[in-house]
Amino acid sequence: MGIAHVYDVDRALVLGPGGRLGVAWTAGLAAGLRRAGLDLGEADLIVGTSAGAIVGAVLAAGGDPGRLGVLPVRRSPDGPAAPRRPDPAVTGAVFAALDDSGADPAEKRRRVGRIALGTVDAAAEERVVDQRAALIGTDAWPSRRLLIPAVDAESGEPVVWEAASGVPLVRAVAASSAFPGFDPPVAVDGRHHLDGALRAGTNADLAAGARTVLVVEPLAHRRPGAAAGSARVLAPEPAAVRLLDADPGDRESWEEIHRLGREQGEAAAEGLRAFWRPDPR
């Protein structure tokens, strides 16, 4: 599928990847801004990648990011499901492929795709889809324009889905947030797909042409300068960075980093107001 382009867009919101706790921090930031009178869901275009795809779907549908202050618990007949833990063998192989300076980006994606296809697990995949459905709270594409990037695991080619693509929203979000070693690849239209961050990090290029671009980047401390240009970038403060880098994945960390994001959003709102809602005069 061809990459979607942006035409005549006023405000664009780009929500970047950040792992499990990146979802909580991004949702908390959006909740704090909303509490202070700035609704990021008003954007004309939302680009959501990985963790950002989850929060982007909530915002584009008019949902309340504050409800993600408590992590939805997926239950099994044996009780609450344990938080997922990465497979170090898989993640090690993936990062080794990504760090190969002699390979071009397309070849790196193909290598990562081959690694990920070795972890296909239909039951685990359905658990991922069910979890994403609980987080985003809707299975219908919103009327507000939402772009969700991912990578085809077999070809290594990037894809960008939107409402007109005709794919299920929950599966698009699940695929965009399926990083190998943490989650299995997710099938969309009969083909397995991987985390959209493998396309181009935050994928801020998908908002090129918008007059105002706000980038929310949970992992900005790992990729300084990744969202350069005229975009305004919101990144976590040190206390949240420490949790993101530790990423223990327990409920207490989720709730704590959502709170930190909310407080940061409340504090940042006044300084952001003129940028997000410029005086039309």
Side-chain angles (χ1 to χ4, degrees), residues 161-227:
W161 292 305
E162 57 182 314
S165 303
V167 306
L169 173 64
V170 172
R171 283 199 165 267
V173 170
S176 182
S177 55
F179 195 88
F182 288 84
D183 294 306
V186 173
V188 179
D189 274 354
R191 295 179 67 86
H192 285 95
H193 291 81
L194 309 174
D195 198 295
L198 295 167
R199 174 189 176 272
T202 61
N203 293 294
D205 64 295
L206 296 178
R211 285 179 283 277
T212 298
V213 180
L214 176 64
V215 178
V216 177
E217 174 60 290
L219 300 181
H221 60 290
R222 298 182 191 173
R223 294 190 294 268

Side-chain angles (χ1 to χ4, degrees), residues 99-118:
D99 289 341
D100 182 357
S101 59
D104 65 26
E107 175 57 26
K108 291 180 183 182
R109 291 193 300 267
R110 285 191 291 270
R111 290 181 188 175
V112 172
R114 288 194 292 270
I115 295 166
L117 289 171

Side-chain angles (χ1 to χ4, degrees), residues 21-226:
L21 294 185
V23 177
W25 177 79
T26 302
L29 184 81
L33 288 167
R34 177 180 287 192
R35 181 178 292 184
L38 283 185
D39 186 357
L40 298 185
E42 295 175 346
D44 303 293
L45 167 72
I46 297 176
V47 178
T49 300
S50 196
I54 296 169
V55 181
V58 172
L59 293 174
D64 177 11
R67 72 173 179 78
L68 293 182
V70 177
L71 175 64
V73 177
R74 176 169 40 82
R75 294 184 177 273
S76 71
D78 300 321
R84 70 181 187 269
R85 298 293 179 184
D87 181 329
V90 175
T91 56
V94 166
F95 286 116
L98 295 174
D99 289 341
D100 182 357
S101 59
D104 65 26
E107 175 57 26
K108 291 180 183 182
R109 291 193 300 267
R110 285 191 291 270
R111 290 181 188 175
V112 172
R114 288 194 292 270
I115 295 166
L117 289 171
T119 69
V120 169
D121 180 330
E125 177 186 333
E126 289 309 309
R127 289 194 293 271
V128 170
V129 173
D130 288 346
Q131 183 199 56
R132 302 307 192 264
L135 287 168
I136 66 178
T138 181
D139 59 2
W141 283 89
S143 57
R144 192 173 302 278
R145 194 174 184 201
L146 172 66
L147 302 183
I148 299 178
V151 169
D152 187 306
E154 296 171 53
S155 68
E157 289 301 307
V159 297
V160 180
W161 292 305
E162 57 182 314
S165 303
V167 306
L169 173 64
V170 172
R171 283 199 165 267
V173 170
S176 182
S177 55
F179 195 88
F182 288 84
D183 294 306
V186 173
V188 179
D189 274 354
R191 295 179 67 86
H192 285 95
H193 291 81
L194 309 174
D195 198 295
L198 295 167
R199 174 189 176 272
T202 61
N203 293 294
D205 64 295
L206 296 178
R211 285 179 283 277
T212 298
V213 180
L214 176 64
V215 178
V216 177
E217 174 60 290
L219 300 181
H221 60 290
R222 298 182 191 173
R223 294 190 294 268

